[in-house]
Amino acid sequence: MKFNEQQIAEFNRLVARYPEGKQKSALLPVLHLAQESFGGWLSTETMNYVAELLNITPIEVYEVATFYSMYNLKPVGKHVFEVCQTGPCMINGSDNIINYIKEKLKIEIGETTPDGMFTLKTVECLGACGYAPMMQMGKFYKEHLTKEKVDNIIEECRKNAALNN
Amino acid sequence: MSKKLLLEKAHVEGIRFYDVYRREGGYNSVEKTLKTLSPEAVVEEVKKSGLRGRGGAGFPTGMKWSFIAKPEGVPRHLVCNADESEPGTFKDRYLMEFLPHLLIEGLIVSSYALGSNDTYIYIRGEYAWIVDILEQAIEEAKANGWLGKNILGSSFNCNIHVQRGAGAYICGEETALIESLEGKRGNPRIKPPFPAIKGLWERPTVVNNVETLAAIVPIINMGGEEYAKIGVGRSTGTKLISACGNINKPGVYEIDMTISVEEFIYSEEYCGGIANGKKLKACIPGGSSVPILPANLLLKTAKGETRYMNYESLSDGGFATGSMMGSGGFIVLDEDQCVVKHTYTLARFYHHESCGQCSPCREGTIWLDKLLYKLEHGQGKLSDIDLLWDVQRRIEGNTICPLGDAAAWPVAAAIRHFRDEFEWHVNNPQESQIKNFGLAHYADAIQPITV
Ligand SMILES: Cc1cc2nc3c(=O)[nH]c(=O)nc-3n(C[C@H](O)[C@H](O)[C@H](O)COP(=O)(O)O)c2cc1C
Ligand code: SF4
């Protein structure tokens, strides 16, 4: 396991933002980079590699990786649906959206479909309260969700997967 | 129409990009600052403006800036708090997405005032695409000489860096944010020392909200005194309100703080009234941490006076009959909403977000979550309501950071104003699972309390 050239360049850019000797400050962004680069989650091996790169102890990486909710500590599907369930989304029917996704994909919250395509997670407020209900999918938000919109998103993901095979 | 100082140009085509932003008068405040003002003079203008922190606490910004320590040879830092994670709040996101250069401009002037050569924007990890928008704006500003070395031929150097968080509400608390910027868990620090003395890497640091720092631009352009003339009393200038819930027009609005709550909810210029012709039941006017108010106490104070959208009026009556301006996250509940369920989702949120350092917060938020789950699911007893009250009371004031209070207040206010609804859940366990308590008496005119 190693970053490729392009990833190393990004790593160097991240570390350069902090004063000399304060390279640990880059830990959060570097963990994001590692998660994106190595299959969408952080294995112990990945975390140890990050520790080595930043010249800190592995435990310093584990502490951080377990504290923040965006780091996945076990494998996830190709597409992760992170549906907000806090008050403002709840008022606008997030329960219905979550139940619909569960039924449609036949998985419970926290599970991944057997084909490894989709993981369903619930999350707390993502700052999209005026555009509820919503979910995060990778880098972007999907807002004003309806059952039809969910259908379309799932179909799109499947179509893209078929194209790429 | 309210005067707009921040969002005036938000709808200009292409304003996200440098050329258009500059053509519309962008970066003039940097020019004015670097050519005519000393750092102390900038702080003085901000003091005169009466600007209060827009992140939630409302602390006067000019005063905060004047506290920064200036030990010889030690670098100082300005950190922009873009963690925006308080439920109901999505205003900073709007500013950064549509007017990234306004934030960068405010950051340059503020960095100059504080003597920060390396300024950091700490943005919540989920706003991943906004990182790209900000970094592009920074590159454009740099390419046009507004960032980097010897800006506009002055001796001032400044770089701005964007750091992404990774999903933790607590990192919005300024000392947790600093810990996170140092690559650690977001555990708030014990104060003192305050960040102004020992902050990022033990250096003097000022942490300010996105909106606060954007407001520096109009303050410098128009002068602090002129800015202070807008608004009322100690609520000067304009405020962004992110409105959501059961309203016709959810979104981000800039208000001058002289309009009434009623006008804000019902006028076409803002929320456009309650959605689907329903009635207003309750509202959390300043983000999930502030007390919820029933419709009657929201629109009028306990004295029977009109309530306005400003710091003083929203908190009129203290916690007994008032609320707070907070972060400006305005959550509206209509007559079909269940206050018990809504409060439960907030308690679950705070349980999820407690950093776990202090026992009253760590354990207390678990209790709040569990008790509210029971009550909401028709499994509660009347004594659970009292227990809930007791637990929240034991959290408040007994923790390292204000997250404990923020978890306790919404629960306390819900019980204070909506006890009937809680009791109805206990007394009607089955019915409460299929229907809601409804509007009941929560919008009835109240007998003014005369003191
Ligand atoms: C639990 C908690 C969460 C907070 N979250 C935020 C936030 O997301 N954004 C913010 O600007 N301030 C937040 N604050 C307030 C900050 O601690 C700090 O007061 C603020 O950034 C100061 O900036 P201002 O004076 O410009 O408002 C939070 C405070 C607490 C206790
Ligand atoms: S009050 Fe809660 S979030 Fe704040 S330091 Fe204590 S345990 Fe952590």
Side-chain angles (χ1 to χ4, degrees), chain B residues 53-57 59 64 81 83-86 92 169-170 172-174 207-209 212 401-403:
Chain B
R54 304 297 196 221
F59 193 82
K64 184 167 181 168
N81 189 342
D83 194 57
E84 186 158 71
S85 311
E86 169 104 348
D92 297 338
Y169 166 66
I170 191 57
E173 194 281 331
E174 57 185 12
V207 181
N208 273 130
N209 173 259
T212 311
C401 91
L403 186 138

PDB file of all heavy atoms in Angstrom, chain B residues 53-57 59 64 81 83-86 92 169-170 172-174 207-209 212 401-403, ligand 1:
ATOM      1  N   GLY B  53     -20.402  38.668  17.245  1.00  0.00           N
ATOM      2  CA  GLY B  53     -20.079  37.397  16.596  1.00  0.00           C
ATOM      3  C   GLY B  53     -21.325  36.698  16.082  1.00  0.00           C
ATOM      4  O   GLY B  53     -22.304  36.568  16.809  1.00  0.00           O
ATOM      5  N   ARG B  54     -21.273  36.256  14.822  1.00  0.00           N
ATOM      6  CA  ARG B  54     -22.434  35.633  14.193  1.00  0.00           C
ATOM      7  C   ARG B  54     -22.443  34.119  14.334  1.00  0.00           C
ATOM      8  O   ARG B  54     -23.271  33.442  13.732  1.00  0.00           O
ATOM      9  CB  ARG B  54     -22.478  36.001  12.705  1.00  0.00           C
ATOM     10  CG  ARG B  54     -22.470  37.504  12.408  1.00  0.00           C
ATOM     11  CD  ARG B  54     -23.695  38.207  12.963  1.00  0.00           C
ATOM     12  NE  ARG B  54     -23.865  39.531  12.364  1.00  0.00           N
ATOM     13  CZ  ARG B  54     -24.225  40.614  13.047  1.00  0.00           C
ATOM     14  NH1 ARG B  54     -24.412  40.549  14.352  1.00  0.00           N
ATOM     15  NH2 ARG B  54     -24.403  41.765  12.433  1.00  0.00           N
ATOM     16  N   GLY B  55     -21.499  33.563  15.105  1.00  0.00           N
ATOM     17  CA  GLY B  55     -21.419  32.104  15.247  1.00  0.00           C
ATOM     18  C   GLY B  55     -22.393  31.542  16.266  1.00  0.00           C
ATOM     19  O   GLY B  55     -22.614  30.347  16.326  1.00  0.00           O
ATOM     20  N   GLY B  56     -22.942  32.416  17.106  1.00  0.00           N
ATOM     21  CA  GLY B  56     -23.911  31.913  18.078  1.00  0.00           C
ATOM     22  C   GLY B  56     -23.872  32.645  19.408  1.00  0.00           C
ATOM     23  O   GLY B  56     -24.896  32.919  20.009  1.00  0.00           O
ATOM     24  N   ALA B  57     -22.660  32.985  19.863  1.00  0.00           N
ATOM     25  CA  ALA B  57     -22.562  33.563  21.200  1.00  0.00           C
ATOM     26  C   ALA B  57     -22.804  35.071  21.202  1.00  0.00           C
ATOM     27  O   ALA B  57     -23.127  35.646  22.241  1.00  0.00           O
ATOM     28  CB  ALA B  57     -21.213  33.220  21.816  1.00  0.00           C
ATOM     29  N   PHE B  59     -20.672  37.588  20.887  1.00  0.00           N
ATOM     30  CA  PHE B  59     -19.669  38.386  21.588  1.00  0.00           C
ATOM     31  C   PHE B  59     -19.149  39.500  20.672  1.00  0.00           C
ATOM     32  O   PHE B  59     -18.888  39.264  19.498  1.00  0.00           O
ATOM     33  CB  PHE B  59     -18.505  37.482  22.029  1.00  0.00           C
ATOM     34  CG  PHE B  59     -17.585  38.135  23.006  1.00  0.00           C
ATOM     35  CD1 PHE B  59     -17.897  38.168  24.353  1.00  0.00           C
ATOM     36  CD2 PHE B  59     -16.412  38.750  22.571  1.00  0.00           C
ATOM     37  CE1 PHE B  59     -17.052  38.797  25.256  1.00  0.00           C
ATOM     38  CE2 PHE B  59     -15.566  39.378  23.472  1.00  0.00           C
ATOM     39  CZ  PHE B  59     -15.881  39.403  24.812  1.00  0.00           C
ATOM     40  N   LYS B  64     -13.160  41.340  21.124  1.00  0.00           N
ATOM     41  CA  LYS B  64     -12.437  40.066  21.035  1.00  0.00           C
ATOM     42  C   LYS B  64     -11.067  40.275  20.370  1.00  0.00           C
ATOM     43  O   LYS B  64     -10.061  39.760  20.825  1.00  0.00           O
ATOM     44  CB  LYS B  64     -13.280  39.088  20.221  1.00  0.00           C
ATOM     45  CG  LYS B  64     -12.722  37.686  20.124  1.00  0.00           C
ATOM     46  CD  LYS B  64     -13.793  36.754  19.568  1.00  0.00           C
ATOM     47  CE  LYS B  64     -13.304  35.340  19.469  1.00  0.00           C
ATOM     48  NZ  LYS B  64     -14.403  34.403  19.210  1.00  0.00           N
ATOM     49  N   ASN B  81     -14.086  30.049  11.408  1.00  0.00           N
ATOM     50  CA  ASN B  81     -14.907  28.905  11.811  1.00  0.00           C
ATOM     51  C   ASN B  81     -16.006  28.661  10.772  1.00  0.00           C
ATOM     52  O   ASN B  81     -17.003  29.369  10.733  1.00  0.00           O
ATOM     53  CB  ASN B  81     -15.504  29.195  13.193  1.00  0.00           C
ATOM     54  CG  ASN B  81     -16.198  27.995  13.801  1.00  0.00           C
ATOM     55  OD1 ASN B  81     -16.530  27.042  13.096  1.00  0.00           O
ATOM     56  ND2 ASN B  81     -16.422  28.037  15.103  1.00  0.00           N
ATOM     57  N   ASP B  83     -17.328  25.559  10.455  1.00  0.00           N
ATOM     58  CA  ASP B  83     -17.733  24.195  10.812  1.00  0.00           C
ATOM     59  C   ASP B  83     -19.245  24.018  10.720  1.00  0.00           C
ATOM     60  O   ASP B  83     -19.740  22.889  10.623  1.00  0.00           O
ATOM     61  CB  ASP B  83     -17.253  23.848  12.220  1.00  0.00           C
ATOM     62  CG  ASP B  83     -17.359  22.358  12.492  1.00  0.00           C
ATOM     63  OD1 ASP B  83     -16.764  21.600  11.724  1.00  0.00           O
ATOM     64  OD2 ASP B  83     -18.066  21.946  13.427  1.00  0.00           O
ATOM     65  N   GLU B  84     -19.956  25.107  10.787  1.00  0.00           N
ATOM     66  CA  GLU B  84     -21.423  25.133  10.658  1.00  0.00           C
ATOM     67  C   GLU B  84     -22.127  23.777  10.787  1.00  0.00           C
ATOM     68  O   GLU B  84     -22.421  23.116   9.798  1.00  0.00           O
ATOM     69  CB  GLU B  84     -21.806  25.750   9.310  1.00  0.00           C
ATOM     70  CG  GLU B  84     -23.318  25.943   9.177  1.00  0.00           C
ATOM     71  CD  GLU B  84     -23.672  26.987   8.139  1.00  0.00           C
ATOM     72  OE1 GLU B  84     -23.495  26.723   6.927  1.00  0.00           O
ATOM     73  OE2 GLU B  84     -24.106  28.070   8.539  1.00  0.00           O
ATOM     74  N   SER B  85     -22.409  23.394  12.024  1.00  0.00           N
ATOM     75  CA  SER B  85     -23.063  22.090  12.227  1.00  0.00           C
ATOM     76  C   SER B  85     -24.253  22.159  13.163  1.00  0.00           C
ATOM     77  O   SER B  85     -24.785  21.128  13.567  1.00  0.00           O
ATOM     78  CB  SER B  85     -22.069  21.084  12.813  1.00  0.00           C
ATOM     79  OG  SER B  85     -20.876  21.083  12.083  1.00  0.00           O
ATOM     80  N   GLU B  86     -24.646  23.351  13.554  1.00  0.00           N
ATOM     81  CA  GLU B  86     -25.775  23.488  14.475  1.00  0.00           C
ATOM     82  C   GLU B  86     -27.067  23.233  13.696  1.00  0.00           C
ATOM     83  O   GLU B  86     -27.346  23.948  12.730  1.00  0.00           O
ATOM     84  CB  GLU B  86     -25.778  24.915  15.035  1.00  0.00           C
ATOM     85  CG  GLU B  86     -27.026  25.274  15.790  1.00  0.00           C
ATOM     86  CD  GLU B  86     -26.831  25.287  17.294  1.00  0.00           C
ATOM     87  OE1 GLU B  86     -25.799  24.802  17.773  1.00  0.00           O
ATOM     88  OE2 GLU B  86     -27.739  25.778  17.967  1.00  0.00           O
ATOM     89  N   ASP B  92     -23.684  29.968   6.506  1.00  0.00           N
ATOM     90  CA  ASP B  92     -22.276  30.128   6.130  1.00  0.00           C
ATOM     91  C   ASP B  92     -22.009  29.401   4.819  1.00  0.00           C
ATOM     92  O   ASP B  92     -21.243  29.860   3.979  1.00  0.00           O
ATOM     93  CB  ASP B  92     -21.356  29.576   7.230  1.00  0.00           C
ATOM     94  CG  ASP B  92     -21.501  30.338   8.531  1.00  0.00           C
ATOM     95  OD1 ASP B  92     -21.967  31.493   8.494  1.00  0.00           O
ATOM     96  OD2 ASP B  92     -21.170  29.777   9.593  1.00  0.00           O
ATOM     97  N   TYR B 169     -19.648  17.810  15.231  1.00  0.00           N
ATOM     98  CA  TYR B 169     -20.247  19.094  15.593  1.00  0.00           C
ATOM     99  C   TYR B 169     -19.395  19.834  16.605  1.00  0.00           C
ATOM    100  O   TYR B 169     -19.257  21.057  16.541  1.00  0.00           O
ATOM    101  CB  TYR B 169     -21.639  18.825  16.182  1.00  0.00           C
ATOM    102  CG  TYR B 169     -22.311  19.960  16.915  1.00  0.00           C
ATOM    103  CD1 TYR B 169     -22.699  21.119  16.250  1.00  0.00           C
ATOM    104  CD2 TYR B 169     -22.601  19.857  18.273  1.00  0.00           C
ATOM    105  CE1 TYR B 169     -23.349  22.143  16.933  1.00  0.00           C
ATOM    106  CE2 TYR B 169     -23.251  20.872  18.955  1.00  0.00           C
ATOM    107  CZ  TYR B 169     -23.623  22.017  18.285  1.00  0.00           C
ATOM    108  OH  TYR B 169     -24.259  23.015  18.963  1.00  0.00           O
ATOM    109  N   ILE B 170     -18.789  19.094  17.526  1.00  0.00           N
ATOM    110  CA  ILE B 170     -18.046  19.731  18.607  1.00  0.00           C
ATOM    111  C   ILE B 170     -16.888  20.568  18.073  1.00  0.00           C
ATOM    112  O   ILE B 170     -16.441  21.509  18.728  1.00  0.00           O
ATOM    113  CB  ILE B 170     -17.554  18.672  19.638  1.00  0.00           C
ATOM    114  CG1 ILE B 170     -17.008  19.343  20.896  1.00  0.00           C
ATOM    115  CG2 ILE B 170     -16.534  17.734  19.052  1.00  0.00           C
ATOM    116  CD1 ILE B 170     -17.959  20.260  21.612  1.00  0.00           C
ATOM    117  N   GLY B 172     -16.977  22.812  16.096  1.00  0.00           N
ATOM    118  CA  GLY B 172     -17.384  24.202  15.941  1.00  0.00           C
ATOM    119  C   GLY B 172     -17.054  25.011  17.185  1.00  0.00           C
ATOM    120  O   GLY B 172     -16.938  26.228  17.130  1.00  0.00           O
ATOM    121  N   GLU B 173     -16.900  24.338  18.313  1.00  0.00           N
ATOM    122  CA  GLU B 173     -16.484  25.028  19.546  1.00  0.00           C
ATOM    123  C   GLU B 173     -15.029  25.422  19.333  1.00  0.00           C
ATOM    124  O   GLU B 173     -14.211  24.594  18.911  1.00  0.00           O
ATOM    125  CB  GLU B 173     -16.654  24.079  20.740  1.00  0.00           C
ATOM    126  CG  GLU B 173     -16.582  24.754  22.094  1.00  0.00           C
ATOM    127  CD  GLU B 173     -15.175  25.070  22.563  1.00  0.00           C
ATOM    128  OE1 GLU B 173     -14.245  24.330  22.176  1.00  0.00           O
ATOM    129  OE2 GLU B 173     -14.989  26.037  23.296  1.00  0.00           O
ATOM    130  N   GLU B 174     -14.683  26.675  19.647  1.00  0.00           N
ATOM    131  CA  GLU B 174     -13.414  27.181  19.141  1.00  0.00           C
ATOM    132  C   GLU B 174     -12.164  26.445  19.620  1.00  0.00           C
ATOM    133  O   GLU B 174     -11.217  26.303  18.849  1.00  0.00           O
ATOM    134  CB  GLU B 174     -13.289  28.686  19.347  1.00  0.00           C
ATOM    135  CG  GLU B 174     -13.430  29.152  20.772  1.00  0.00           C
ATOM    136  CD  GLU B 174     -13.418  30.684  20.850  1.00  0.00           C
ATOM    137  OE1 GLU B 174     -13.533  31.347  19.816  1.00  0.00           O
ATOM    138  OE2 GLU B 174     -13.274  31.204  21.967  1.00  0.00           O
ATOM    139  N   VAL B 207     -10.586  33.106  16.737  1.00  0.00           N
ATOM    140  CA  VAL B 207     -11.497  32.288  15.935  1.00  0.00           C
ATOM    141  C   VAL B 207     -12.779  33.089  15.730  1.00  0.00           C
ATOM    142  O   VAL B 207     -13.371  33.575  16.689  1.00  0.00           O
ATOM    143  CB  VAL B 207     -11.840  30.957  16.643  1.00  0.00           C
ATOM    144  CG1 VAL B 207     -12.777  30.118  15.776  1.00  0.00           C
ATOM    145  CG2 VAL B 207     -10.582  30.176  16.977  1.00  0.00           C
ATOM    146  N   ASN B 208     -13.160  33.261  14.480  1.00  0.00           N
ATOM    147  CA  ASN B 208     -14.411  33.964  14.168  1.00  0.00           C
ATOM    148  C   ASN B 208     -15.213  33.197  13.137  1.00  0.00           C
ATOM    149  O   ASN B 208     -14.669  32.489  12.297  1.00  0.00           O
ATOM    150  CB  ASN B 208     -14.140  35.360  13.596  1.00  0.00           C
ATOM    151  CG  ASN B 208     -13.974  36.429  14.658  1.00  0.00           C
ATOM    152  OD1 ASN B 208     -13.017  37.189  14.641  1.00  0.00           O
ATOM    153  ND2 ASN B 208     -14.902  36.492  15.590  1.00  0.00           N
ATOM    154  N   ASN B 209     -16.506  33.416  13.203  1.00  0.00           N
ATOM    155  CA  ASN B 209     -17.448  32.790  12.280  1.00  0.00           C
ATOM    156  C   ASN B 209     -17.332  33.384  10.861  1.00  0.00           C
ATOM    157  O   ASN B 209     -16.933  34.532  10.684  1.00  0.00           O
ATOM    158  CB  ASN B 209     -18.855  33.018  12.852  1.00  0.00           C
ATOM    159  CG  ASN B 209     -19.941  32.569  11.922  1.00  0.00           C
ATOM    160  OD1 ASN B 209     -20.560  33.372  11.244  1.00  0.00           O
ATOM    161  ND2 ASN B 209     -20.159  31.274  11.861  1.00  0.00           N
ATOM    162  N   THR B 212     -19.328  36.624  10.428  1.00  0.00           N
ATOM    163  CA  THR B 212     -18.667  37.722  11.139  1.00  0.00           C
ATOM    164  C   THR B 212     -17.569  38.314  10.258  1.00  0.00           C
ATOM    165  O   THR B 212     -17.458  39.536  10.102  1.00  0.00           O
ATOM    166  CB  THR B 212     -18.018  37.207  12.448  1.00  0.00           C
ATOM    167  OG1 THR B 212     -18.957  36.428  13.173  1.00  0.00           O
ATOM    168  CG2 THR B 212     -17.502  38.346  13.294  1.00  0.00           C
ATOM    169  N   CYS B 401     -17.242  22.618  28.198  1.00  0.00           N
ATOM    170  CA  CYS B 401     -17.628  23.512  27.110  1.00  0.00           C
ATOM    171  C   CYS B 401     -19.139  23.646  27.085  1.00  0.00           C
ATOM    172  O   CYS B 401     -19.851  22.905  27.754  1.00  0.00           O
ATOM    173  CB  CYS B 401     -17.094  22.980  25.769  1.00  0.00           C
ATOM    174  SG  CYS B 401     -18.230  21.902  24.902  1.00  0.00           S
ATOM    175  N   PRO B 402     -19.651  24.591  26.315  1.00  0.00           N
ATOM    176  CA  PRO B 402     -21.107  24.821  26.340  1.00  0.00           C
ATOM    177  C   PRO B 402     -21.947  23.764  25.616  1.00  0.00           C
ATOM    178  O   PRO B 402     -23.162  23.924  25.552  1.00  0.00           O
ATOM    179  CB  PRO B 402     -21.266  26.180  25.645  1.00  0.00           C
ATOM    180  CG  PRO B 402     -19.903  26.766  25.562  1.00  0.00           C
ATOM    181  CD  PRO B 402     -18.950  25.625  25.545  1.00  0.00           C
ATOM    182  N   LEU B 403     -21.344  22.689  25.069  1.00  0.00           N
ATOM    183  CA  LEU B 403     -22.198  21.691  24.422  1.00  0.00           C
ATOM    184  C   LEU B 403     -23.169  21.078  25.438  1.00  0.00           C
ATOM    185  O   LEU B 403     -24.304  20.766  25.111  1.00  0.00           O
ATOM    186  CB  LEU B 403     -21.386  20.584  23.740  1.00  0.00           C
ATOM    187  CG  LEU B 403     -22.249  19.604  22.933  1.00  0.00           C
ATOM    188  CD1 LEU B 403     -21.615  19.241  21.602  1.00  0.00           C
ATOM    189  CD2 LEU B 403     -22.600  18.330  23.688  1.00  0.00           C
TER     190      LEU B 403
HETATM  191  C1  LIG C   1     -20.823  22.966  20.663  1.00  0.00           C
HETATM  192  C2  LIG C   1     -20.512  24.242  19.959  1.00  0.00           C
HETATM  193  C3  LIG C   1     -20.575  24.303  18.582  1.00  0.00           C
HETATM  194  C4  LIG C   1     -20.278  25.479  17.907  1.00  0.00           C
HETATM  195  N1  LIG C   1     -20.347  25.493  16.551  1.00  0.00           N
HETATM  196  C5  LIG C   1     -20.022  26.618  15.880  1.00  0.00           C
HETATM  197  C6  LIG C   1     -20.034  26.640  14.457  1.00  0.00           C
HETATM  198  O1  LIG C   1     -20.339  25.646  13.804  1.00  0.00           O
HETATM  199  N2  LIG C   1     -19.691  27.791  13.832  1.00  0.00           N
HETATM  200  C7  LIG C   1     -19.336  28.914  14.528  1.00  0.00           C
HETATM  201  O2  LIG C   1     -19.008  29.918  13.922  1.00  0.00           O
HETATM  202  N3  LIG C   1     -19.312  28.919  15.875  1.00  0.00           N
HETATM  203  C8  LIG C   1     -19.639  27.802  16.562  1.00  0.00           C
HETATM  204  N4  LIG C   1     -19.577  27.808  17.930  1.00  0.00           N
HETATM  205  C9  LIG C   1     -19.129  29.037  18.617  1.00  0.00           C
HETATM  206  C10 LIG C   1     -17.599  29.107  18.671  1.00  0.00           C
HETATM  207  O3  LIG C   1     -17.143  28.451  19.846  1.00  0.00           O
HETATM  208  C11 LIG C   1     -17.087  30.530  18.725  1.00  0.00           C
HETATM  209  O4  LIG C   1     -17.754  31.205  19.739  1.00  0.00           O
HETATM  210  C12 LIG C   1     -17.290  31.279  17.446  1.00  0.00           C
HETATM  211  O5  LIG C   1     -16.677  30.632  16.373  1.00  0.00           O
HETATM  212  C13 LIG C   1     -16.709  32.649  17.590  1.00  0.00           C
HETATM  213  O6  LIG C   1     -16.933  33.387  16.419  1.00  0.00           O
HETATM  214  P1  LIG C   1     -17.844  34.676  16.401  1.00  0.00           P
HETATM  215  O7  LIG C   1     -17.453  35.513  17.594  1.00  0.00           O
HETATM  216  O8  LIG C   1     -17.485  35.315  15.120  1.00  0.00           O
HETATM  217  O9  LIG C   1     -19.233  34.217  16.467  1.00  0.00           O
HETATM  218  C14 LIG C   1     -19.900  26.638  18.628  1.00  0.00           C
HETATM  219  C15 LIG C   1     -19.852  26.572  20.016  1.00  0.00           C
HETATM  220  C16 LIG C   1     -20.154  25.406  20.679  1.00  0.00           C
HETATM  221  C17 LIG C   1     -20.077  25.375  22.156  1.00  0.00           C
END
